[in-house]
Amino acid sequence: MSEGPVPHRVAVIAPSPVSMFNLAIPEMLFGKVDIDGRPGYEVVICAAEAGPVPTSGGLDLYVRDGLEAVREADTVVVAGTGAPYEPDPRIVAAVREAADAGKRIASLCTGAFQLAEAGLLQGRRATTYWAHAEELRRRYPQIDLQGDVLYVQDGPYVTASGYAAGIDLCLHVIRTDYGAAVANEVARLALVAPVRPGGQTQFTHTPLPPERGHACSDTRGWAMRNLDKPLTLTDLARHAGISVRTLTRRFHAESGVSPLQWLLHQRIERARELLETTTLPMDQVARACGLGTADSLRAHVIRRTGLTPSAYRAQFTRLGTEEVVGTSSAA
């Protein structure tokens, strides 16, 4: 009897003093991935030396594995630390060796300093927590620093800004490995938002008092329930009970992107989930997510994933092979 695919191995490196929140995010999210009753990931936390590792909260964590775990991993995640400007040479060497071996490497928060010191981000787009962005830029001027985004991927390297953006990075990795349906299920289990675009800003400044900040949230929920309809800015503004101009300003203040950018992103994500979980023909998928035609669906899915809709379905389907039916010629 086949034992099924081997779980994707993730090594999470804990620099000293490590952020406990950063360590918890990969273990929590990757640990919830279930593929046909089997774990999708095997997560190992490691440190420069096995043993107690100080945390930024003043506690010590006992880490059982040293950096040899990195050699066995498929993906390496470097957590953030309270000492972002002092990369550990042992971690830097391990990360560089992993890069030479072709592994995917990610950083959370100030973990980007370790990747930068290893030379991995030179000439590439990357980000870190906004409060440390200028220091990263000063120390490593060859980085194309994206100082106000949640996360960014450039080749095999994925960097996230601070705190909850690590959740978005992990969901992005899960979506890349196993598709949108699995990532959305993990988000539901973890009670977090399933889709936040990587280009969304880290923080926004808004003069609106807190009690007035939910109009667009309600409208986003309404739009998600009506993605099959040709929604316009006027439709969104009418639902929110405000002018188009006010909607646009408030929407960007709350979500970091324009209403139409957000809407298109959600339509494509809905299309991906339908491709993974149904056998609907391409024209029906396009109509169900509001992209109109199979040709439009094809263009957007290729732009987002690099695959045609039929190729995406073949790679990420959650259905048995015998359940997948033919699709339209525009796929």
Side-chain angles (χ1 to χ4, degrees):
M1 180 180 294
S2 174
E3 296 182 357
V6 176
H8 188 100
R9 293 165 296 186
V10 179
V12 183
I13 301 177
S16 176
V18 69
S19 161
M20 291 189 291
F21 185 58
N22 274 194
L23 282 184
I25 289 172
E27 192 281 329
M28 176 183 70
L29 294 177
F30 293 136
K32 292 186 182 301
V33 175
D34 180 279
I35 306 299
D36 300 326
R38 298 183 177 91
Y41 294 94
E42 176 186 306
V43 181
V44 176
I45 296 175
C46 60
E49 291 183 9
V53 175
T55 72
S56 54
L59 303 174
D60 283 351
L61 292 178
Y62 187 85
V63 178
R64 290 179 297 179
D65 293 280
L67 292 175
E68 63 276 2
V70 173
R71 298 190 183 96
E72 303 300 320
D74 304 300
T75 294
V76 179
V77 180
V78 184
T81 171
Y85 314 142
E86 301 175 10
D88 187 316
R90 296 166 295 180
I91 294 176
V92 170
V95 166
R96 188 181 295 121
E97 180 182 336
D100 291 342
K103 302 178 188 293
R104 177 172 57 195
I105 302 176
S107 66
L108 307 180
C109 195
T110 56
F113 283 82
Q114 310 275 355
L115 274 61
E117 184 68 18
L120 307 187
L121 303 181
Q122 187 167 356
R124 293 184 180 272
R125 293 176 295 119
T127 193
T128 190
Y129 185 48
W130 64 268
H132 301 293
E134 285 305 316
E135 183 65 21
L136 185 68
R137 179 182 284 112
R138 186 186 70 80
R139 287 173 175 257
Y140 308 100
Q142 299 305 312
I143 296 176
D144 181 7
L145 186 64
Q146 312 288 300
D148 63 347
V149 300
L150 294 177
Y151 65 87
V152 61
Q153 177 161 4
D154 192 329
Y157 309 125
V158 197
T159 53
S161 56
Y163 295 97
I167 296 173
D168 299 293
L169 180 146
C170 290
L171 289 175
H172 167 74
V173 169
I174 295 168
R175 191 177 297 112
T176 299
D177 292 342
Y178 294 109
V182 173
N184 289 345
E185 178 61 21
V186 169
R188 283 190 285 268
L189 291 172
L191 300 178
V192 298
V195 181
R196 292 205 298 174
Q200 183 170 322
T201 55
Q202 290 185 30
F203 60 95
T204 55
H205 298 292
T206 174
L208 299 176
E211 63 271 16
R212 295 180 58 201
H214 300 294
C216 290
S217 176
D218 293 340
T219 297
R220 284 193 293 272
W222 172 78
M224 288 290 289
R225 296 189 296 272
N226 291 276
L227 287 177
D228 59 325
K229 298 179 175 62
L231 301 177
T232 66
L233 278 176
T234 300
D235 295 327
L236 296 173
R238 183 181 299 115
H239 181 273
I242 54 181
S243 69
V244 169
R245 182 175 180 180
T246 301
L247 171 87
T248 302
R249 175 172 57 82
R250 288 187 181 178
F251 205 103
H252 196 283
E254 291 180 16
S255 69
V257 293
S258 75
L260 294 183
Q261 286 176 320
W262 178 88
L263 191 59
L264 178 60
H265 188 91
Q266 302 307 325
R267 292 191 191 282
I268 298 171
E269 289 302 312
R270 177 67 57 79
R272 291 171 68 171
E273 188 159 3
L274 290 173
L275 289 170
E276 295 169 26
T277 60
T278 76
T279 60
L280 289 173
M282 298 305 170
D283 56 345
Q284 292 185 32
V285 172
R287 288 197 297 270
C289 63
L291 290 175
T293 67
D295 286 340
S296 176
L297 171 71
R298 177 186 174 88
H300 285 297
V301 171
I302 289 176
R303 188 176 300 118
R304 177 66 58 83
T305 69
L307 299 170
T308 65
S310 57
Y312 183 88
R313 171 173 274 166
Q315 181 167 334
F316 291 109
T317 182
R318 304 291 295 143
L319 304 173
T321 304
E322 68 282 357
E323 297 178 81
V324 179
V325 299
T327 58
S328 72
S329 60

